[in-house]
Amino acid sequence: MTQRVDLATVMDRLAVDELITEYAVAVDDGDWETYRGLFGPGGRADYRSAGGIEGDAVEVAGWLARSMESFPMRQHLIVNRRIRFGSLEHDTGDTAHVQADYVNPMRFTGQDSGSTAPDFVCGGRYAFALVRTSEGWRVREVVVREKWRHSPDRQPTTP
């Protein structure tokens, strides 16, 4: 592999990492316009394992906006990112698959404002399918695989 190809791969990895970070920040900040803009044409999201819906980016952004009203405090962390590049129409590097774990502490609306502790925490794994577009890397599909959830006043559960 040449140095130029290595540099392109590093640049792609950085761009993919930035896209995944933007995804988390958009959800945490309730920036649904940015959230929708992270998806390419026909992009879809599947939140069914977390009790949500599956649909196109616009539909899922609407559902998330309504669902997240119950949680004014959220800090969504995406870690352990594993990136694999693929090809689209025989042009190496036009697709990427990312598996990444997440932990999502949140606080319910109306809870004791003196406390900063979360009321609800869940975790699992994302499976992102990405595609390179003229605007850069975009989400073609994201599947949420919630593995666990916990409320301090309840026992931990698995979905």
Side-chain angles (χ1 to χ4, degrees):
M1 198 176 277
T2 68
Q3 187 174 7
R4 188 172 301 220
V5 172
D6 288 342
L7 179 59
T9 301
V10 169
M11 297 301 293
D12 279 336
R13 285 187 174 279
L14 290 171
V16 165
D17 188 67
E18 178 68 17
L19 178 67
I20 302 305
T21 298
E22 287 297 321
Y23 182 93
V25 171
V27 172
D28 289 346
D29 291 350
D31 185 349
W32 308 118
E33 182 177 338
T34 295
Y35 178 89
R36 290 186 299 271
L38 298 173
F39 288 80
R44 302 187 67 76
D46 183 348
Y47 280 80
R48 291 178 292 183
S49 76
I53 66 168
E54 187 276 335
D56 66 39
V58 172
E59 181 181 11
V60 172
W63 171 79
L64 280 168
R66 292 184 301 278
S67 298
M68 293 297 112
E69 287 175 356
S70 298
F71 302 102
M73 187 287 291
R74 46 194 185 260
Q75 188 178 24
H76 183 192
L77 307 170
I78 301 179
V79 299
N80 300 334
R81 300 166 193 201
R82 287 157 290 183
I83 302 169
R84 301 289 180 261
F85 291 103
S87 61
L88 181 66
E89 298 176 14
H90 309 292
D91 188 7
T92 302
D94 284 336
T95 64
H97 292 275
V98 180
Q99 284 191 336
D101 297 328
Y102 70 89
V103 176
N104 189 9
M106 298 184 284
R107 183 150 193 78
F108 285 113
T109 300
Q111 297 298 316
D112 176 17
S113 60
S115 174
T116 57
D119 301 303
F120 179 84
V121 183
C122 61
R125 180 165 291 155
Y126 283 111
F128 289 93
L130 309 178
V131 64
R132 185 193 314 269
T133 72
S134 58
E135 290 82 36
W137 287 97
R138 293 294 182 263
V139 178
R140 182 169 49 193
E141 179 183 51
V142 58
V143 177
V144 177
R145 295 185 179 110
E146 185 175 283
K147 293 183 176 186
W148 59 270
R149 56 177 57 185
H150 175 71
S151 293
D153 60 337
R154 295 186 216 152
Q155 293 297 319
T157 60
T158 55

